[in-house]
Amino acid sequence: MNDRRRGHHGVPAARLRGIAPTIFTRMSALAARTGAVNLGQGFPDTDGPPSVIARAVAALQGGSNQYAPGPGQPALRRAIARHQQRHYGLELDPETQVVVTTGCTEAIAAAVLGLVDPGDEVVVLEPYYDSYVAMLQMAGAVRRPVTLRAPDFRLDPAELRAAVTPRTRFLLVNSPHNPTGTVLTLAERTAIADLAREHDLVVITDEVYEHLTFDGTPHIPLATLPGMAERTLTLSSAGKSYSFTGWKIGWATGPAHLVGAVLAAKQWLTFTSGAPLQPAVAHALEHEPDFPGALARDLQRRRDLLCAGLAGAGLPTRIPAGTYFALTDITHLGWPDGESFCLELPARAGVVAIPAQSFYDDREAGRQLVRWAFCKDDEVLEEGVRRLAGADLTYHAEATR
Ligand code: GLN
C-alpha cells in the first residue's frame, strides 16, 4: 500500500519531502524559549519610518481594507517603477512590468512556479536562501548549485560556466548575498550576463538587500547590464530597505512576459497582497527616499560594532560588503558542525545564531559556518558580544545533546 492510501501517513506530499522546517523559525523559537539574545533571524529591532506607519494606519482607518487589485495598487506599482528609474535608470511600464507580492518570498515562489517546468535545470548560488530550495523542489526543478567558497565567498566564473548544461533555463542569483554579505563585482556580474546571453537563460535575481551595502560598494542590478533587461526578473521588497520585514510587501519587475508569469502564479497563491500596507509602501518609496541610505550607513556602524566584538570574543568574521549578516568559521572551536554549536549556544552563552550549513548542497563547504545578524539595536549587539566574550565556546563531547 502506498503512503497516500494510508491517509495521514502520506504527509507531507512528495514535493515537500526531505525539506526541513525553515531554520529561521527554529532558531527564533529557540531564542524565545531560552531568553537568548537573538542574533539569528534577520529582522531589525527598530521599525521603519513613522510617516510610513502613519500612512498604513490612515489606510486601515480610511477604508483600504478590501482586496487590492491582483497585480498591486496602481500607486504602488508606479512608485516601484519610479524607484527602479531613479536608482538604476530602468524604464518600466507599471501596468505590465511590475507586480506586487506578499514579500519577496512570495515573489520567489511565484517566479519559480510561474516560470520553471519540471526537469528544468536552475543554476543557483550557494549558500542559498532556504526558500529557493523548497520552491525549486515543489516545481520539480533540478538545482545546480555554484558555491561561493570561504574565506572570500566570491563567484568563480569558471565554476558558474561549468554548472550550465543544455537543460539549464534559469540562473537564480542573489546580490547583495545572504548569508555571505558578498556583493557581486563587475567581473562576476559580467560573467553571469555573458552566460545568460550566450545560453539564452532567464535570470531571476533576488535583490532585497539592494540598498544595504557598505564602504561605498555599489549594488548594480543585473537588469542594467547590456542585453539583460529583456531576460531578467528582478525581485525585491520593502522589508529590508524600510525595516518592515513583517509587512510582507515585495515585488517583481522586468519584461512583461516574465512579470506576467509571476502574476499568473501569484493569483493562485495569495490572490492579492495586503491592501492597507500598499499605499504605505508607496509613500515610503516616494516620500522617504533617503531612509534606506541612512539605514545602510547606520548598519555599517553596527556591522563594525558586531564584527569587532566577535573578533574580540574569538569569533572572527569576514567583513561583509552588504546585507545584515556576517559569517564566522568556527573550525578552531572543535565542534562537529555549526548546527551543534548553534544548538548549544543559548546554554553556553545566551545567544542565538544561524548555522549556515543547511544553505548548502556541498555540506562540507558550509559545515563550520555560523551567521550573525547585525540589524539589531546597539545594546542588543553589545549584550550579545559581551555574553559571547564571557563564555567558553569550545567543544566538549559530554555537553552535546
Ligand atoms: N531573510 C531573513 C534571514 O535571512 C529572514 C527570512 C525568514 O525568516 N524566512 O534571516
Side-chain angles (χ1 to χ4, degrees), residues 283-296:
H283 176 92
L285 294 172
E286 301 280 23
H287 300 289
E288 297 280 2
D290 299 331
F291 182 87
L295 175 62

Side-chain angles (χ1 to χ4, degrees), residues 140-189:
V142 177
R143 69 174 179 276
R144 295 278 174 221
V146 176
T147 308
L148 308 180
R149 289 181 198 286
D152 291 331
F153 303 107
R154 301 276 25 135
L155 174 62
D156 178 344
E159 273 195 52
L160 179 68
R161 186 164 286 275
V164 173
T165 80
R167 288 175 302 283
T168 307
R169 289 195 51 216
F170 300 91
L171 302 177
L172 176 48
V173 181
N174 167 222
S175 178
H177 183 264
N178 176 9
T180 64
T182 288
V183 178
L184 294 177
T185 61
L186 173 63
E188 291 164 335
R189 293 190 302 271

Side-chain angles (χ1 to χ4, degrees), residues 245-334:
T245 63
W247 283 19
K248 305 297 297 172
I249 298 290
W251 48 84
T253 58
H257 68 288
L258 299 181
V259 169
V262 173
L263 181 59
K266 184 244 154 56
Q267 69 184 324
W268 307 119
L269 293 171
T270 53
F271 183 45
T272 70
S273 300
L277 301 178
Q278 294 192 37
V281 172
H283 176 92
L285 294 172
E286 301 280 23
H287 300 289
E288 297 280 2
D290 299 331
F291 182 87
L295 175 62
R297 285 189 292 281
D298 195 54
L299 276 171
Q300 179 174 323
R301 185 186 58 74
R302 287 185 267 162
R303 172 199 68 175
D304 294 342
L305 193 160
L306 179 72
C307 290
L310 288 171
L315 296 162
T317 58
R318 176 222 192 202
I319 306 300
T323 75
Y324 308 141
F325 308 115
L327 286 174
T328 296
D329 183 326
I330 59 155
T331 304
H332 60 291
L333 297 174

Side-chain angles (χ1 to χ4, degrees), residues 84-173:
Q84 296 304 91
Q85 208 290 325
R86 196 165 67 236
H87 287 281
Y88 310 123
L90 289 165
E91 301 289 346
L92 296 164
D93 175 0
E95 290 294 316
T96 58
Q97 298 190 282
V98 178
V99 60
V100 175
T101 56
T102 302
C104 188
T105 300
E106 192 199 27
I108 293 161
V112 171
L113 293 176
L115 290 166
V116 180
D117 276 316
D120 285 350
E121 290 188 11
V122 180
V123 172
V124 53
L125 307 186
E126 77 171 12
Y128 32 61
Y129 183 50
D130 58 357
S131 90
Y132 300 176
V133 168
M135 291 318 306
L136 292 174
Q137 178 167 323
M138 284 194 236
V142 177
R143 69 174 179 276
R144 295 278 174 221
V146 176
T147 308
L148 308 180
R149 289 181 198 286
D152 291 331
F153 303 107
R154 301 276 25 135
L155 174 62
D156 178 344
E159 273 195 52
L160 179 68
R161 186 164 286 275
V164 173
T165 80
R167 288 175 302 283
T168 307
R169 289 195 51 216
F170 300 91
L171 302 177
L172 176 48
V173 181

Side-chain angles (χ1 to χ4, degrees), residues 22 24-25 40-42 105 129-130 178 209 240 325 371:
T22 171
F24 301 112
T25 301
Q41 195 177 24
T105 300
Y129 183 50
D130 58 357
N178 176 9
Y209 298 98
K240 310 298 192 291
F325 308 115
R371 192 193 81 172

Side-chain angles (χ1 to χ4, degrees), residues 342-373:
C342 288
L343 289 175
E344 277 299 313
L345 200 56
R348 289 287 188 95
V351 173
V352 158
I354 299 283
Q357 69 207 77
S358 55
F359 307 145
Y360 287 83
D361 279 81
D362 180 350
R363 288 295 155 110
E364 204 43 47
R367 197 165 58 84
Q368 299 285 339
L369 295 174
V370 169
R371 192 193 81 172
W372 315 91

